[in-house]
PDB file of all heavy atoms in Angstrom:
ATOM      1  N   LYS D 110     -44.452  -8.227 -22.385  1.00 97.00           N
ATOM      2  CA  LYS D 110     -44.943  -9.307 -23.266  1.00 97.00           C
ATOM      3  C   LYS D 110     -44.191 -10.610 -23.028  1.00 97.00           C
ATOM      4  O   LYS D 110     -44.798 -11.680 -22.946  1.00 97.00           O
ATOM      5  CB  LYS D 110     -44.820  -8.881 -24.736  1.00 97.00           C
ATOM      6  CG  LYS D 110     -45.693  -7.688 -25.101  1.00 97.00           C
ATOM      7  CD  LYS D 110     -45.548  -7.284 -26.557  1.00 97.00           C
ATOM      8  CE  LYS D 110     -44.167  -6.753 -26.883  1.00 97.00           C
ATOM      9  NZ  LYS D 110     -43.813  -5.531 -26.107  1.00 97.00           N
ATOM     10  N   SER D 111     -42.864 -10.551 -22.938  1.00 96.00           N
ATOM     11  CA  SER D 111     -42.073 -11.768 -22.737  1.00 96.00           C
ATOM     12  C   SER D 111     -42.343 -12.379 -21.367  1.00 96.00           C
ATOM     13  O   SER D 111     -42.461 -13.603 -21.229  1.00 96.00           O
ATOM     14  CB  SER D 111     -40.579 -11.460 -22.893  1.00 96.00           C
ATOM     15  OG  SER D 111     -40.294 -10.970 -24.184  1.00 96.00           O
ATOM     16  N   THR D 112     -42.458 -11.547 -20.353  1.00 96.00           N
ATOM     17  CA  THR D 112     -42.770 -12.036 -19.011  1.00 96.00           C
ATOM     18  C   THR D 112     -44.137 -12.699 -18.989  1.00 96.00           C
ATOM     19  O   THR D 112     -44.331 -13.745 -18.349  1.00 96.00           O
ATOM     20  CB  THR D 112     -42.715 -10.883 -17.992  1.00 96.00           C
ATOM     21  OG1 THR D 112     -41.434 -10.256 -18.066  1.00 96.00           O
ATOM     22  CG2 THR D 112     -42.948 -11.387 -16.574  1.00 96.00           C
ATOM     23  N   LEU D 113     -45.098 -12.129 -19.706  1.00 97.00           N
ATOM     24  CA  LEU D 113     -46.436 -12.714 -19.772  1.00 97.00           C
ATOM     25  C   LEU D 113     -46.407 -14.058 -20.498  1.00 97.00           C
ATOM     26  O   LEU D 113     -47.047 -15.024 -20.053  1.00 97.00           O
ATOM     27  CB  LEU D 113     -47.415 -11.759 -20.465  1.00 97.00           C
ATOM     28  CG  LEU D 113     -48.856 -12.275 -20.587  1.00 97.00           C
ATOM     29  CD1 LEU D 113     -49.458 -12.541 -19.205  1.00 97.00           C
ATOM     30  CD2 LEU D 113     -49.719 -11.294 -21.368  1.00 97.00           C
ATOM     31  N   LEU D 114     -45.684 -14.135 -21.616  1.00 97.00           N
ATOM     32  CA  LEU D 114     -45.565 -15.419 -22.323  1.00 97.00           C
ATOM     33  C   LEU D 114     -45.011 -16.484 -21.379  1.00 97.00           C
ATOM     34  O   LEU D 114     -45.563 -17.594 -21.280  1.00 97.00           O
ATOM     35  CB  LEU D 114     -44.652 -15.278 -23.538  1.00 97.00           C
ATOM     36  CG  LEU D 114     -44.345 -16.588 -24.274  1.00 97.00           C
ATOM     37  CD1 LEU D 114     -45.578 -17.088 -25.018  1.00 97.00           C
ATOM     38  CD2 LEU D 114     -43.186 -16.420 -25.249  1.00 97.00           C
ATOM     39  N   ASN D 115     -43.925 -16.164 -20.685  1.00 96.00           N
ATOM     40  CA  ASN D 115     -43.316 -17.124 -19.764  1.00 96.00           C
ATOM     41  C   ASN D 115     -44.295 -17.532 -18.661  1.00 96.00           C
ATOM     42  O   ASN D 115     -44.352 -18.704 -18.270  1.00 96.00           O
ATOM     43  CB  ASN D 115     -42.049 -16.541 -19.152  1.00 96.00           C
ATOM     44  CG  ASN D 115     -40.937 -16.340 -20.175  1.00 96.00           C
ATOM     45  OD1 ASN D 115     -40.920 -16.981 -21.227  1.00 96.00           O
ATOM     46  ND2 ASN D 115     -40.014 -15.447 -19.880  1.00 96.00           N
ATOM     47  N   ALA D 116     -45.060 -16.567 -18.155  1.00 97.00           N
ATOM     48  CA  ALA D 116     -46.020 -16.858 -17.086  1.00 97.00           C
ATOM     49  C   ALA D 116     -47.128 -17.781 -17.577  1.00 97.00           C
ATOM     50  O   ALA D 116     -47.540 -18.709 -16.868  1.00 97.00           O
ATOM     51  CB  ALA D 116     -46.615 -15.558 -16.548  1.00 97.00           C
ATOM     52  N   LEU D 117     -47.613 -17.551 -18.777  1.00 97.00           N
ATOM     53  CA  LEU D 117     -48.669 -18.401 -19.337  1.00 97.00           C
ATOM     54  C   LEU D 117     -48.169 -19.820 -19.593  1.00 97.00           C
ATOM     55  O   LEU D 117     -48.898 -20.796 -19.390  1.00 97.00           O
ATOM     56  CB  LEU D 117     -49.202 -17.786 -20.633  1.00 97.00           C
ATOM     57  CG  LEU D 117     -50.057 -16.530 -20.477  1.00 97.00           C
ATOM     58  CD1 LEU D 117     -50.211 -15.809 -21.813  1.00 97.00           C
ATOM     59  CD2 LEU D 117     -51.429 -16.878 -19.895  1.00 97.00           C
ATOM     60  N   LEU D 118     -46.920 -19.938 -20.040  1.00 96.00           N
ATOM     61  CA  LEU D 118     -46.341 -21.251 -20.323  1.00 96.00           C
ATOM     62  C   LEU D 118     -45.930 -21.993 -19.051  1.00 96.00           C
ATOM     63  O   LEU D 118     -45.817 -23.221 -19.047  1.00 96.00           O
ATOM     64  CB  LEU D 118     -45.114 -21.112 -21.223  1.00 96.00           C
ATOM     65  CG  LEU D 118     -45.353 -20.600 -22.641  1.00 96.00           C
ATOM     66  CD1 LEU D 118     -44.032 -20.360 -23.340  1.00 96.00           C
ATOM     67  CD2 LEU D 118     -46.207 -21.581 -23.439  1.00 96.00           C
ATOM     68  N   GLY D 119     -45.659 -21.239 -17.985  1.00 94.00           N
ATOM     69  CA  GLY D 119     -45.183 -21.855 -16.756  1.00 94.00           C
ATOM     70  C   GLY D 119     -43.712 -22.190 -16.787  1.00 94.00           C
ATOM     71  O   GLY D 119     -43.215 -22.940 -15.938  1.00 94.00           O
ATOM     72  N   GLU D 120     -42.993 -21.651 -17.756  1.00 92.00           N
ATOM     73  CA  GLU D 120     -41.549 -21.830 -17.842  1.00 92.00           C
ATOM     74  C   GLU D 120     -40.954 -20.700 -18.667  1.00 92.00           C
ATOM     75  O   GLU D 120     -41.653 -20.047 -19.445  1.00 92.00           O
ATOM     76  CB  GLU D 120     -41.175 -23.176 -18.462  1.00 92.00           C
ATOM     77  CG  GLU D 120     -41.662 -23.372 -19.889  1.00 92.00           C
ATOM     78  CD  GLU D 120     -41.267 -24.733 -20.439  1.00 92.00           C
ATOM     79  OE1 GLU D 120     -40.061 -24.939 -20.659  1.00 92.00           O
ATOM     80  OE2 GLU D 120     -42.150 -25.578 -20.632  1.00 92.00           O
ATOM     81  N   LYS D 121     -39.646 -20.488 -18.506  1.00 93.00           N
ATOM     82  CA  LYS D 121     -38.990 -19.396 -19.212  1.00 93.00           C
ATOM     83  C   LYS D 121     -38.618 -19.812 -20.625  1.00 93.00           C
ATOM     84  O   LYS D 121     -37.806 -20.705 -20.826  1.00 93.00           O
ATOM     85  CB  LYS D 121     -37.737 -18.929 -18.465  1.00 93.00           C
ATOM     86  CG  LYS D 121     -37.075 -17.726 -19.127  1.00 93.00           C
ATOM     87  CD  LYS D 121     -35.921 -17.212 -18.313  1.00 93.00           C
ATOM     88  CE  LYS D 121     -35.235 -16.042 -19.003  1.00 93.00           C
ATOM     89  NZ  LYS D 121     -34.124 -15.493 -18.226  1.00 93.00           N
ATOM     90  N   LEU D 122     -39.227 -19.148 -21.596  1.00 92.00           N
ATOM     91  CA  LEU D 122     -38.918 -19.400 -22.993  1.00 92.00           C
ATOM     92  C   LEU D 122     -38.340 -18.148 -23.647  1.00 92.00           C
ATOM     93  O   LEU D 122     -37.402 -18.215 -24.425  1.00 92.00           O
ATOM     94  CB  LEU D 122     -40.183 -19.844 -23.740  1.00 92.00           C
ATOM     95  CG  LEU D 122     -40.000 -20.610 -25.038  1.00 92.00           C
ATOM     96  CD1 LEU D 122     -39.255 -21.927 -24.794  1.00 92.00           C
ATOM     97  CD2 LEU D 122     -41.357 -20.909 -25.681  1.00 92.00           C
ATOM     98  N   ALA D 123     -38.907 -16.999 -23.313  1.00 94.00           N
ATOM     99  CA  ALA D 123     -38.450 -15.729 -23.884  1.00 94.00           C
ATOM    100  C   ALA D 123     -37.551 -15.010 -22.889  1.00 94.00           C
ATOM    101  O   ALA D 123     -37.824 -14.992 -21.686  1.00 94.00           O
ATOM    102  CB  ALA D 123     -39.648 -14.843 -24.234  1.00 94.00           C
ATOM    103  N   ILE D 124     -36.457 -14.410 -23.380  1.00 92.00           N
ATOM    104  CA  ILE D 124     -35.582 -13.648 -22.498  1.00 92.00           C
ATOM    105  C   ILE D 124     -36.273 -12.353 -22.084  1.00 92.00           C
ATOM    106  O   ILE D 124     -37.130 -11.834 -22.793  1.00 92.00           O
ATOM    107  CB  ILE D 124     -34.213 -13.363 -23.145  1.00 92.00           C
ATOM    108  CG1 ILE D 124     -34.353 -12.416 -24.350  1.00 92.00           C
ATOM    109  CG2 ILE D 124     -33.531 -14.658 -23.529  1.00 92.00           C
ATOM    110  CD1 ILE D 124     -32.998 -11.922 -24.886  1.00 92.00           C
ATOM    111  N   THR D 125     -35.896 -11.862 -20.922  1.00 91.00           N
ATOM    112  CA  THR D 125     -36.501 -10.631 -20.412  1.00 91.00           C
ATOM    113  C   THR D 125     -35.411  -9.683 -19.934  1.00 91.00           C
ATOM    114  O   THR D 125     -34.304 -10.089 -19.614  1.00 91.00           O
ATOM    115  CB  THR D 125     -37.460 -10.931 -19.234  1.00 91.00           C
ATOM    116  OG1 THR D 125     -36.719 -11.565 -18.176  1.00 91.00           O
ATOM    117  CG2 THR D 125     -38.600 -11.830 -19.666  1.00 91.00           C
ATOM    118  N   SER D 126     -35.755  -8.406 -19.898  1.00 89.00           N
ATOM    119  CA  SER D 126     -34.816  -7.380 -19.448  1.00 89.00           C
ATOM    120  C   SER D 126     -35.604  -6.133 -19.099  1.00 89.00           C
ATOM    121  O   SER D 126     -36.697  -5.901 -19.624  1.00 89.00           O
ATOM    122  CB  SER D 126     -33.800  -7.077 -20.562  1.00 89.00           C
ATOM    123  OG  SER D 126     -33.119  -5.870 -20.311  1.00 89.00           O
ATOM    124  N   ALA D 127     -35.045  -5.325 -18.214  1.00 87.00           N
ATOM    125  CA  ALA D 127     -35.664  -4.038 -17.886  1.00 87.00           C
ATOM    126  C   ALA D 127     -35.497  -3.039 -19.024  1.00 87.00           C
ATOM    127  O   ALA D 127     -36.170  -2.017 -19.077  1.00 87.00           O
ATOM    128  CB  ALA D 127     -35.058  -3.477 -16.608  1.00 87.00           C
ATOM    129  N   LYS D 128     -34.588  -3.336 -19.954  1.00 89.00           N
ATOM    130  CA  LYS D 128     -34.343  -2.439 -21.088  1.00 89.00           C
ATOM    131  C   LYS D 128     -35.378  -2.689 -22.188  1.00 89.00           C
ATOM    132  O   LYS D 128     -35.865  -3.801 -22.364  1.00 89.00           O
ATOM    133  CB  LYS D 128     -32.931  -2.643 -21.643  1.00 89.00           C
ATOM    134  CG  LYS D 128     -31.815  -2.307 -20.656  1.00 89.00           C
ATOM    135  CD  LYS D 128     -30.455  -2.524 -21.280  1.00 89.00           C
ATOM    136  CE  LYS D 128     -29.333  -2.087 -20.344  1.00 89.00           C
ATOM    137  NZ  LYS D 128     -29.203  -2.964 -19.168  1.00 89.00           N
ATOM    138  N   VAL D 129     -35.682  -1.638 -22.959  1.00 87.00           N
ATOM    139  CA  VAL D 129     -36.640  -1.767 -24.058  1.00 87.00           C
ATOM    140  C   VAL D 129     -35.996  -2.519 -25.227  1.00 87.00           C
ATOM    141  O   VAL D 129     -34.781  -2.632 -25.317  1.00 87.00           O
ATOM    142  CB  VAL D 129     -37.145  -0.389 -24.538  1.00 87.00           C
ATOM    143  CG1 VAL D 129     -37.872   0.328 -23.417  1.00 87.00           C
ATOM    144  CG2 VAL D 129     -36.004   0.468 -25.082  1.00 87.00           C
ATOM    145  N   GLN D 130     -36.852  -3.025 -26.107  1.00 88.00           N
ATOM    146  CA  GLN D 130     -36.422  -3.697 -27.349  1.00 88.00           C
ATOM    147  C   GLN D 130     -35.545  -4.921 -27.085  1.00 88.00           C
ATOM    148  O   GLN D 130     -34.637  -5.226 -27.855  1.00 88.00           O
ATOM    149  CB  GLN D 130     -35.699  -2.722 -28.289  1.00 88.00           C
ATOM    150  CG  GLN D 130     -36.578  -1.602 -28.802  1.00 88.00           C
ATOM    151  CD  GLN D 130     -35.812  -0.598 -29.644  1.00 88.00           C
ATOM    152  OE1 GLN D 130     -34.888  -0.945 -30.366  1.00 88.00           O
ATOM    153  NE2 GLN D 130     -36.215   0.664 -29.561  1.00 88.00           N
ATOM    154  N   THR D 131     -35.835  -5.633 -25.994  1.00 93.00           N
ATOM    155  CA  THR D 131     -35.110  -6.878 -25.747  1.00 93.00           C
ATOM    156  C   THR D 131     -35.526  -7.950 -26.743  1.00 93.00           C
ATOM    157  O   THR D 131     -34.689  -8.685 -27.276  1.00 93.00           O
ATOM    158  CB  THR D 131     -35.370  -7.370 -24.305  1.00 93.00           C
ATOM    159  OG1 THR D 131     -35.041  -6.328 -23.387  1.00 93.00           O
ATOM    160  CG2 THR D 131     -34.544  -8.599 -23.985  1.00 93.00           C
ATOM    161  N   THR D 132     -36.836  -8.046 -27.001  1.00 94.00           N
ATOM    162  CA  THR D 132     -37.353  -9.054 -27.937  1.00 94.00           C
ATOM    163  C   THR D 132     -37.179  -8.586 -29.375  1.00 94.00           C
ATOM    164  O   THR D 132     -37.655  -7.512 -29.741  1.00 94.00           O
ATOM    165  CB  THR D 132     -38.837  -9.341 -27.653  1.00 94.00           C
ATOM    166  OG1 THR D 132     -38.975  -9.789 -26.311  1.00 94.00           O
ATOM    167  CG2 THR D 132     -39.378 -10.407 -28.609  1.00 94.00           C
ATOM    168  N   ARG D 133     -36.511  -9.400 -30.186  1.00 95.00           N
ATOM    169  CA  ARG D 133     -36.292  -9.055 -31.586  1.00 95.00           C
ATOM    170  C   ARG D 133     -36.960 -10.035 -32.542  1.00 95.00           C
ATOM    171  O   ARG D 133     -37.029  -9.783 -33.743  1.00 95.00           O
ATOM    172  CB  ARG D 133     -34.791  -9.028 -31.890  1.00 95.00           C
ATOM    173  CG  ARG D 133     -34.044  -7.910 -31.179  1.00 95.00           C
ATOM    174  CD  ARG D 133     -32.568  -7.998 -31.447  1.00 95.00           C
ATOM    175  NE  ARG D 133     -31.819  -6.938 -30.795  1.00 95.00           N
ATOM    176  CZ  ARG D 133     -30.494  -6.911 -30.724  1.00 95.00           C
ATOM    177  NH1 ARG D 133     -29.786  -7.897 -31.271  1.00 95.00           N
ATOM    178  NH2 ARG D 133     -29.883  -5.919 -30.110  1.00 95.00           N
ATOM    179  N   HIS D 134     -37.409 -11.169 -32.032  1.00 95.00           N
ATOM    180  CA  HIS D 134     -38.013 -12.206 -32.857  1.00 95.00           C
ATOM    181  C   HIS D 134     -39.411 -12.514 -32.350  1.00 95.00           C
ATOM    182  O   HIS D 134     -39.753 -12.215 -31.215  1.00 95.00           O
ATOM    183  CB  HIS D 134     -37.187 -13.498 -32.794  1.00 95.00           C
ATOM    184  CG  HIS D 134     -35.763 -13.346 -33.219  1.00 95.00           C
ATOM    185  ND1 HIS D 134     -35.334 -13.576 -34.504  1.00 95.00           N
ATOM    186  CD2 HIS D 134     -34.653 -12.989 -32.504  1.00 95.00           C
ATOM    187  CE1 HIS D 134     -34.025 -13.377 -34.575  1.00 95.00           C
ATOM    188  NE2 HIS D 134     -33.596 -13.011 -33.381  1.00 95.00           N
ATOM    189  N   ARG D 135     -40.180 -13.165 -33.196  1.00 95.00           N
ATOM    190  CA  ARG D 135     -41.436 -13.731 -32.748  1.00 95.00           C
ATOM    191  C   ARG D 135     -41.126 -15.095 -32.124  1.00 95.00           C
ATOM    192  O   ARG D 135     -40.498 -15.944 -32.744  1.00 95.00           O
ATOM    193  CB  ARG D 135     -42.392 -13.915 -33.923  1.00 95.00           C
ATOM    194  CG  ARG D 135     -43.724 -14.530 -33.526  1.00 95.00           C
ATOM    195  CD  ARG D 135     -44.604 -14.744 -34.737  1.00 95.00           C
ATOM    196  NE  ARG D 135     -45.876 -15.332 -34.357  1.00 95.00           N
ATOM    197  CZ  ARG D 135     -46.822 -15.685 -35.228  1.00 95.00           C
ATOM    198  NH1 ARG D 135     -46.625 -15.505 -36.528  1.00 95.00           N
ATOM    199  NH2 ARG D 135     -47.954 -16.216 -34.805  1.00 95.00           N
ATOM    200  N   ILE D 136     -41.554 -15.293 -30.890  1.00 96.00           N
ATOM    201  CA  ILE D 136     -41.268 -16.531 -30.166  1.00 96.00           C
ATOM    202  C   ILE D 136     -42.592 -17.209 -29.820  1.00 96.00           C
ATOM    203  O   ILE D 136     -43.420 -16.646 -29.103  1.00 96.00           O
ATOM    204  CB  ILE D 136     -40.465 -16.244 -28.893  1.00 96.00           C
ATOM    205  CG1 ILE D 136     -39.127 -15.582 -29.265  1.00 96.00           C
ATOM    206  CG2 ILE D 136     -40.233 -17.524 -28.095  1.00 96.00           C
ATOM    207  CD1 ILE D 136     -38.332 -15.099 -28.083  1.00 96.00           C
ATOM    208  N   LYS D 137     -42.785 -18.416 -30.353  1.00 96.00           N
ATOM    209  CA  LYS D 137     -44.025 -19.154 -30.119  1.00 96.00           C
ATOM    210  C   LYS D 137     -43.841 -20.164 -28.995  1.00 96.00           C
ATOM    211  O   LYS D 137     -42.879 -20.928 -28.975  1.00 96.00           O
ATOM    212  CB  LYS D 137     -44.454 -19.905 -31.381  1.00 96.00           C
ATOM    213  CG  LYS D 137     -44.750 -19.059 -32.590  1.00 96.00           C
ATOM    214  CD  LYS D 137     -45.365 -19.919 -33.687  1.00 96.00           C
ATOM    215  CE  LYS D 137     -45.412 -19.186 -35.025  1.00 96.00           C
ATOM    216  NZ  LYS D 137     -44.125 -19.237 -35.733  1.00 96.00           N
ATOM    217  N   GLY D 138     -44.777 -20.162 -28.070  1.00 96.00           N
ATOM    218  CA  GLY D 138     -44.863 -21.197 -27.052  1.00 96.00           C
ATOM    219  C   GLY D 138     -46.121 -22.006 -27.274  1.00 96.00           C
ATOM    220  O   GLY D 138     -47.148 -21.458 -27.706  1.00 96.00           O
ATOM    221  N   ILE D 139     -46.059 -23.289 -26.996  1.00 97.00           N
ATOM    222  CA  ILE D 139     -47.176 -24.189 -27.297  1.00 97.00           C
ATOM    223  C   ILE D 139     -47.654 -24.853 -26.011  1.00 97.00           C
ATOM    224  O   ILE D 139     -46.869 -25.450 -25.281  1.00 97.00           O
ATOM    225  CB  ILE D 139     -46.754 -25.265 -28.319  1.00 97.00           C
ATOM    226  CG1 ILE D 139     -46.188 -24.618 -29.587  1.00 97.00           C
ATOM    227  CG2 ILE D 139     -47.928 -26.183 -28.658  1.00 97.00           C
ATOM    228  CD1 ILE D 139     -45.402 -25.563 -30.470  1.00 97.00           C
ATOM    229  N   ILE D 140     -48.939 -24.730 -25.740  1.00 97.00           N
ATOM    230  CA  ILE D 140     -49.567 -25.399 -24.598  1.00 97.00           C
ATOM    231  C   ILE D 140     -50.587 -26.386 -25.150  1.00 97.00           C
ATOM    232  O   ILE D 140     -51.522 -26.000 -25.872  1.00 97.00           O
ATOM    233  CB  ILE D 140     -50.275 -24.399 -23.666  1.00 97.00           C
ATOM    234  CG1 ILE D 140     -49.308 -23.308 -23.192  1.00 97.00           C
ATOM    235  CG2 ILE D 140     -50.890 -25.118 -22.470  1.00 97.00           C
ATOM    236  CD1 ILE D 140     -49.993 -22.178 -22.435  1.00 97.00           C
TER     237      ILE D 140
END
């Protein structure tokens, strides 16, 4: 999910990791 958000935005906004449960917050990106 975080990798997809970053890809859609065209920049890194959400942190990513190979480990599960990296994302703990809702992170909004605006286009």
